[in-house]
Coordinates of all heavy atoms in Angstrom, one line a residue:
Chain A
F18 N 138.8 61.2 -19.8 CA 138.9 60.1 -18.8 C 139.5 58.9 -19.5 O 139.1 58.5 -20.6 CB 137.5 59.8 -18.3 CG 137.4 58.8 -17.2 CD1 137.7 59.2 -15.9 CD2 137.2 57.5 -17.5 CE1 137.7 58.2 -14.9 CE2 137.2 56.5 -16.5 CZ 137.4 56.9 -15.2
L19 N 140.4 58.2 -18.8 CA 141.0 57.0 -19.2 C 140.7 55.8 -18.5 O 140.6 55.7 -17.2 CB 142.6 57.2 -19.1 CG 143.4 55.9 -19.4 CD1 143.3 55.5 -20.8 CD2 144.8 56.1 -19.0
T20 N 140.3 54.7 -19.2 CA 140.2 53.4 -18.6 C 140.9 52.4 -19.5 O 140.7 52.4 -20.7 CB 138.7 52.9 -18.4 OG1 138.0 53.7 -17.7 CG2 138.7 51.5 -17.9
I21 N 141.8 51.6 -18.9 CA 142.5 50.4 -19.6 C 142.1 49.3 -18.8 O 142.4 49.1 -17.7 CB 144.0 50.6 -19.8 CG1 144.4 51.9 -20.4 CG2 144.6 49.5 -20.4 CD1 145.8 52.1 -20.5
N22 N 141.4 48.3 -19.5 CA 140.9 47.1 -18.8 C 142.0 46.0 -18.7 O 142.8 45.9 -19.6 CB 139.8 46.5 -19.6 CG 138.5 47.4 -19.5 OD1 138.4 48.2 -18.5 ND2 137.6 47.2 -20.4
C23 N 142.0 45.4 -17.6 CA 143.0 44.3 -17.3 C 142.2 43.2 -16.5 O 141.6 43.5 -15.5 CB 144.2 44.8 -16.6 SG 145.2 43.4 -16.0
T24 N 142.3 42.0 -17.0 CA 141.8 40.8 -16.2 C 142.9 39.8 -16.2 O 143.8 39.7 -17.0 CB 140.5 40.2 -16.9 OG1 140.8 39.8 -18.3 CG2 139.4 41.2 -16.9
Y25 N 142.7 38.9 -15.2 CA 143.8 38.0 -14.9 C 143.3 36.6 -14.6 O 142.1 36.5 -14.2 CB 144.7 38.4 -13.8 CG 144.1 38.4 -12.4 CD1 144.2 37.3 -11.7 CD2 143.4 39.5 -11.9 CE1 143.5 37.2 -10.4 CE2 142.8 39.5 -10.7 CZ 142.8 38.4 -9.9 OH 142.2 38.4 -8.7
T26 N 144.0 35.5 -14.8 CA 143.8 34.2 -14.5 C 145.0 33.7 -13.7 O 146.1 33.8 -14.1 CB 143.6 33.3 -15.7 OG1 142.6 33.8 -16.5 CG2 143.3 31.9 -15.3
A27 N 144.7 33.3 -12.4 CA 145.8 32.9 -11.6 C 145.3 32.0 -10.5 O 144.2 32.2 -10.0 CB 146.6 34.1 -11.0
T28 N 146.1 31.1 -10.0 CA 145.8 30.3 -8.8 C 146.3 31.1 -7.6 O 147.2 31.9 -7.8 CB 146.6 28.9 -8.8 OG1 147.9 29.2 -9.1 CG2 146.0 28.1 -10.0
G29 N 145.6 30.9 -6.5 CA 146.0 31.6 -5.4 C 145.5 33.0 -5.4 O 144.6 33.5 -6.0
Y30 N 146.4 33.9 -4.7 CA 146.1 35.3 -4.6 C 147.3 36.1 -5.0 O 148.2 36.4 -4.3 CB 145.9 35.6 -3.1 CG 144.7 34.8 -2.5 CD1 145.0 33.5 -2.0 CD2 143.3 35.2 -2.8 CE1 143.9 32.8 -1.4 CE2 142.3 34.4 -2.3 CZ 142.6 33.2 -1.7 OH 141.5 32.5 -1.2
P31 N 147.3 36.5 -6.3 CA 148.5 37.1 -6.9 C 148.6 38.6 -6.5 O 147.6 39.2 -6.0 CB 148.4 37.0 -8.3 CG 146.8 37.0 -8.5 CD 146.3 36.2 -7.4
S32 N 149.7 39.2 -6.5 CA 149.9 40.6 -6.5 C 149.7 41.2 -7.9 O 150.1 40.5 -8.9 CB 151.3 41.0 -5.9 OG 151.4 40.6 -4.6
L33 N 149.2 42.4 -8.0 CA 148.9 42.9 -9.3 C 149.6 44.3 -9.5 O 149.7 45.0 -8.5 CB 147.3 43.1 -9.5 CG 146.6 41.8 -9.4 CD1 145.0 42.2 -9.4 CD2 146.9 40.8 -10.5
F34 N 150.0 44.6 -10.7 CA 150.9 45.7 -10.9 C 150.5 46.4 -12.3 O 150.0 45.7 -13.2 CB 152.3 45.3 -11.2 CG 152.9 44.5 -10.0 CD1 152.7 43.2 -9.8 CD2 153.7 45.2 -9.0 CE1 153.2 42.4 -8.8 CE2 154.2 44.4 -8.0 CZ 153.9 43.0 -7.9
W35 N 150.7 47.6 -12.4 CA 150.7 48.4 -13.6 C 152.1 49.0 -13.8 O 152.5 49.7 -12.9 CB 149.7 49.5 -13.7 CG 148.3 48.9 -14.1 CD1 147.2 48.7 -13.2 CD2 147.8 48.7 -15.4 NE1 146.1 48.3 -14.0 CE2 146.5 48.2 -15.3 CE3 148.3 48.7 -16.7 CZ2 145.7 47.9 -16.4 CZ3 147.7 48.3 -17.7 CH2 146.4 47.9 -17.6
Y36 N 152.7 48.7 -14.9 CA 154.0 49.2 -15.3 C 153.7 50.1 -16.5 O 152.9 49.9 -17.3 CB 155.0 48.2 -15.6 CG 155.8 47.5 -14.5 CD1 155.1 46.5 -13.8 CD2 157.0 47.9 -14.1 CE1 155.8 46.0 -12.7 CE2 157.6 47.4 -13.0 CZ 157.1 46.4 -12.3 OH 157.7 45.8 -11.3
V37 N 154.6 51.2 -16.7 CA 154.5 52.1 -17.8 C 155.8 52.2 -18.5 O 156.9 52.1 -17.8 CB 154.0 53.5 -17.3 CG1 154.9 54.1 -16.3 CG2 153.8 54.4 -18.5
Q38 N 155.8 52.2 -19.8 CA 157.0 52.5 -20.6 C 156.9 53.6 -21.5 O 156.1 53.7 -22.4 CB 157.3 51.2 -21.4 CG 158.5 51.0 -22.1 CD 158.7 49.6 -22.6 OE1 157.9 49.0 -23.2 NE2 160.0 49.1 -22.6
Y39 N 157.6 54.7 -21.1 CA 157.6 55.9 -21.9 C 158.5 55.8 -23.0 O 159.4 55.0 -23.0 CB 158.0 57.2 -21.0 CG 157.0 57.4 -19.8 CD1 157.4 57.1 -18.5 CD2 155.8 58.0 -20.1 CE1 156.5 57.3 -17.5 CE2 154.9 58.3 -19.0 CZ 155.2 57.9 -17.7 OH 154.4 58.2 -16.7
P40 N 158.3 56.5 -24.1 CA 159.1 56.4 -25.2 C 160.6 56.5 -25.0 O 161.0 57.5 -24.4 CB 158.6 57.5 -26.1 CG 157.2 57.8 -25.7 CD 157.1 57.6 -24.3
G41 N 161.3 55.5 -25.4 CA 162.8 55.5 -25.2 C 163.3 55.3 -23.8 O 164.5 55.3 -23.5
E42 N 162.4 54.8 -22.9 CA 162.7 54.6 -21.6 C 162.4 53.1 -21.1 O 161.7 52.4 -21.9 CB 162.0 55.6 -20.6 CG 162.4 57.0 -20.8 CD 161.8 57.9 -19.8 OE1 161.3 57.5 -18.8 OE2 161.7 59.2 -20.1
G43 N 162.9 52.7 -20.0 CA 162.6 51.4 -19.5 C 161.3 51.3 -18.7 O 160.6 52.3 -18.5
L44 N 160.9 50.1 -18.4 CA 159.7 49.9 -17.7 C 159.8 50.5 -16.3 O 160.8 50.3 -15.5 CB 159.5 48.4 -17.5 CG 158.8 47.7 -18.6 CD1 158.9 46.1 -18.4 CD2 157.4 48.1 -18.8
Q45 N 158.7 51.2 -15.9 CA 158.6 51.7 -14.5 C 157.4 51.3 -13.9 O 156.3 51.2 -14.4 CB 158.6 53.3 -14.6 CG 159.8 53.9 -15.2 CD 159.6 55.5 -15.4 OE1 158.9 56.1 -14.6 NE2 160.2 56.0 -16.4
L46 N 157.5 51.0 -12.6 CA 156.3 50.6 -11.8 C 155.4 51.9 -11.6 O 155.8 52.9 -11.2 CB 156.7 50.1 -10.4 CG 155.5 49.7 -9.5 CD1 154.7 48.5 -10.1 CD2 155.9 49.4 -8.1
L47 N 154.2 51.8 -12.0 CA 153.2 52.9 -11.9 C 152.4 52.7 -10.5 O 152.4 53.7 -9.8 CB 152.2 52.9 -13.0 CG 151.2 54.0 -13.0 CD1 151.9 55.4 -13.1 CD2 150.2 53.8 -14.3
L48 N 151.9 51.5 -10.3 CA 151.1 51.2 -9.0 C 151.1 49.8 -8.9 O 151.2 49.0 -9.8 CB 149.8 52.0 -9.1 CG 148.9 51.8 -10.2 CD1 148.0 50.5 -10.0 CD2 147.9 53.0 -10.4
K49 N 150.7 49.4 -7.6 CA 150.5 48.0 -7.4 C 149.5 47.8 -6.3 O 149.1 48.7 -5.5 CB 151.8 47.4 -7.0 CG 152.3 47.8 -5.6 CD 153.6 47.1 -5.3 CE 154.2 47.5 -3.9 NZ 155.5 46.9 -3.6
A50 N 148.9 46.5 -6.2 CA 148.0 46.2 -5.1 C 148.3 44.7 -4.8 O 148.5 43.9 -5.7 CB 146.6 46.3 -5.6
T51 N 148.4 44.4 -3.5 CA 148.8 43.1 -3.1 C 147.7 42.2 -2.5 O 147.9 41.0 -2.3 CB 149.9 43.2 -2.0 OG1 149.4 43.9 -1.0 CG2 151.1 43.8 -2.6
K52 N 146.5 42.8 -2.4 CA 145.4 41.9 -1.9 C 144.0 42.5 -2.3 O 143.9 43.6 -2.7 CB 145.4 41.7 -0.4 CG 145.3 42.9 0.4 CD 145.3 42.6 2.0 CE 145.0 43.8 2.8 NZ 146.0 44.9 2.6
A53 N 143.0 41.6 -2.3 CA 141.8 42.0 -2.8 C 141.2 43.2 -2.1 O 141.4 43.5 -0.9 CB 140.7 40.8 -2.5
D54 N 140.6 44.1 -3.0 CA 140.0 45.4 -2.6 C 141.0 46.5 -2.3 O 140.6 47.6 -2.1 CB 139.1 45.2 -1.4 CG 137.9 44.3 -1.6 OD1 137.4 44.3 -2.8 OD2 137.5 43.5 -0.7
D55 N 142.3 46.2 -2.4 CA 143.3 47.2 -2.3 C 143.2 48.1 -3.5 O 142.9 47.7 -4.6 CB 144.7 46.6 -2.3 CG 145.2 46.3 -0.9 OD1 144.5 46.5 0.1 OD2 146.4 45.8 -0.8
K56 N 143.5 49.4 -3.3 CA 143.6 50.3 -4.4 C 145.0 50.9 -4.5 O 145.5 51.4 -3.5 CB 142.6 51.5 -4.2 CG 142.6 52.6 -5.4 CD 141.7 53.8 -5.0 CE 140.3 53.5 -5.3 NZ 139.5 54.7 -5.2
G57 N 145.5 50.7 -5.7 CA 146.9 51.3 -5.9 C 146.7 52.6 -6.6 O 145.8 52.8 -7.4
S58 N 147.5 53.6 -6.2 CA 147.4 54.9 -6.9 C 148.7 55.6 -7.0 O 149.6 55.4 -6.1 CB 146.4 55.8 -6.1 OG 146.8 56.0 -4.8
N59 N 148.9 56.4 -8.1 CA 150.1 57.1 -8.3 C 149.9 58.1 -9.4 O 149.3 57.7 -10.5 CB 151.3 56.2 -8.6 CG 152.6 56.9 -8.7 OD1 152.9 57.9 -8.1 ND2 153.6 56.2 -9.4
K60 N 150.4 59.2 -9.3 CA 150.4 60.2 -10.5 C 149.0 60.4 -11.0 O 148.9 60.8 -12.2 CB 151.3 59.8 -11.6 CG 152.7 59.7 -11.2 CD 153.7 59.3 -12.3 CE 155.1 59.1 -11.9 NZ 156.0 58.8 -13.1
G61 N 148.0 60.3 -10.2 CA 146.6 60.5 -10.7 C 145.9 59.2 -11.2 O 144.7 59.2 -11.5
F62 N 146.7 58.1 -11.4 CA 146.2 56.9 -11.9 C 145.8 56.0 -10.6 O 146.3 56.1 -9.6 CB 147.4 56.1 -12.6 CG 147.7 56.6 -13.9 CD1 148.7 57.6 -14.0 CD2 147.1 56.3 -15.1 CE1 149.1 58.2 -15.2 CE2 147.5 56.7 -16.3 CZ 148.4 57.7 -16.4
E63 N 144.7 55.3 -10.9 CA 144.2 54.4 -9.8 C 143.9 53.0 -10.5 O 143.4 52.9 -11.6 CB 143.0 54.9 -9.2 CG 143.2 56.2 -8.3 CD 141.9 56.7 -7.7 OE1 140.7 56.2 -8.2 OE2 142.0 57.5 -6.8
A64 N 143.9 51.9 -9.7 CA 143.5 50.7 -10.0 C 143.0 49.9 -8.8 O 143.8 50.0 -7.7 CB 144.5 49.9 -10.8

Side-chain angles (χ1 to χ4, degrees):
Chain A
F18 184 85
L19 169 71
T20 299
I21 300 178
N22 290 337
C23 171
T24 57
Y25 68 90
T26 301
T28 54
Y30 303 93
S32 295
L33 301 174
F34 306 82
W35 277 100
Y36 277 81
V37 58
Q38 192 169 37
Y39 297 104
E42 299 185 16
L44 278 168
Q45 302 175 25
L46 178 68
L47 180 60
L48 53 84
K49 68 181 181 182
T51 58
K52 61 183 187 294
D54 300 325
D55 268 3
K56 178 185 285 187
S58 60
N59 186 27
K60 299 181 181 180
F62 291 89
E63 292 183 340

